[in-house]
Amino acid sequence: MRLSQKVALVTSSASGICASTAQQLAAEGARVMICGRNAAQGRATVRQIRSSGGRASFTLADIAVAADTKAAVDETIATYGRLDILFNHASSGYARDSVLLEVSEAVWDRVIETTLKGTFFCCQYALPFLQQSGSGTIINLVEQLPADPMQSVTAVCQGGILAMTGAIAQQFSADTVTANLIWVSEPTVDKAVVSGDLNLLMAQIIRGPVGHSEPARPFTDIAEAVMYLAIGGSDLHGSALVVNGSPLTS
């Protein structure tokens, strides 16, 4: 129960890594608020957590809408009284993207809203409460894009989330809030290429847990990286943890 007395907000009700992350946070003792557009899946995850003895709640929210995002943070505070962990995995899976020359204003707006804008306002509204906790942490998750020309706006958003994580680390002291990013790469991607790309925006690349007597080992599981930051990564700030794994489906 390494997260006893902590409260976490998971900003997606999707199945897969989001549901798994919520369950693992609860298993470590955290009280978890799940928000998202999929009420059936979100409530199903809450039932699974409660059936295992954990504490969790769900609130319906579309983080593409700033008012919904603020309401989700406010609901977390009203329900549990504090906020310690913010996990952002805003996916544009339900928003149609396109090749660069065919991106319409409507496509641009919707993809930006569901990924970059949503992540930004989740961080903005959560930060005052994360600071109040004295040990708050933001964990943003980005998936490496496949070689697909239909992901033009999504690529822009991912670059923005990388830069945003670094900006939060510059503007907020690690004594009260840490902000880090998990970058999910395909196993075939060359380490030097990934690190080179991230170095354009991030101050530090961490490829796995670092012990005092052993070198860093690569993360092979996304949930492992999330829990590492939530539980033992308080000394990291403005860092990108690279996870070698298949692209997510949630």
Side-chain angles (χ1 to χ4, degrees):
M1 306 293 284
R2 292 172 290 179
L3 294 176
S4 179
Q5 308 304 316
K6 301 290 187 180
V7 174
L9 173 60
V10 176
T11 64
S12 173
S13 56
S15 59
I17 187 59
C18 296
S20 175
T21 297
Q23 291 166 8
Q24 291 197 41
L25 289 167
E28 289 289 349
R31 291 161 287 170
V32 181
M33 177 65 76
I34 300 168
C35 74
R37 299 170 67 250
N38 190 327
Q41 179 59 53
R43 292 182 179 125
T45 302
V46 168
R47 287 194 297 271
Q48 291 172 343
I49 290 172
R50 290 178 177 176
S51 68
S52 300
R55 295 181 63 183
S57 303
F58 171 77
T59 184
L60 188 66
D62 182 352
I63 67 164
V65 180
D68 276 19
T69 302
K70 183 178 185 302
V73 173
D74 290 344
E75 181 68 16
T76 304
I77 301 302
T79 303
Y80 297 120
R82 60 183 293 144
L83 179 59
D84 303 274
I85 301 164
L86 173 65
F87 174 70
N88 286 314
H89 176 219
S91 173
S92 62
Y94 67 93
R96 182 175 61 88
D97 205 338
S98 184
V99 296
L100 186 66
L101 295 179
E102 296 178 4
V103 172
S104 67
E105 184 177 5
V107 168
W108 170 272
D109 287 345
R110 190 55 181 165
V111 177
I112 290 287
E113 285 174 350
T114 58
T115 50
L116 185 57
K117 176 185 172 182
T119 302
F120 178 89
F121 282 107
C122 283
C123 293
Q124 185 190 67
Y125 292 133
L127 271 164
F129 300 105
L130 293 170
Q131 286 183 292
Q132 288 177 16
S133 79
S135 58
T137 185
I138 293 173
I139 304 170
N140 293 324
L141 188 144
V142 167
E143 306 166 50
Q144 179 202 350
L145 293 172
D148 183 356
M150 299 296 289
Q151 301 286 342
S152 305
V153 187
T154 303
V156 173
C157 293
Q158 292 191 339
I161 293 170
L162 283 165
M164 183 195 313
T165 308
I168 293 170
Q170 291 178 342
Q171 295 178 33
F172 293 86
S173 168
D175 294 338
T176 55
V177 179
T178 58
N180 296 289
L181 180 136
I182 296 173
W183 177 278
V184 184
S185 68
E186 295 186 41
T188 56
V189 174
D190 181 76
K191 172 182 175 180
V193 173
V194 173
S195 296
D197 289 344
L198 291 174
N199 265 323
L200 294 175
L201 295 165
M202 306 300 290
Q204 184 181 13
I205 306 300
I206 304 294
R207 292 199 62 86
V210 181
H212 295 292
S213 60
E214 61 182 28
R217 58 182 175 82
F219 284 107
T220 57
D221 181 78
I222 299 161
E224 177 193 12
V226 173
M227 298 308 294
Y228 175 69
L229 287 174
I231 296 171
S234 59
D235 57 332
L236 302 181
H237 194 35
S239 300
L241 277 65
V242 180
V243 179
N244 295 321
S246 300
L248 307 179
T249 56
S250 62

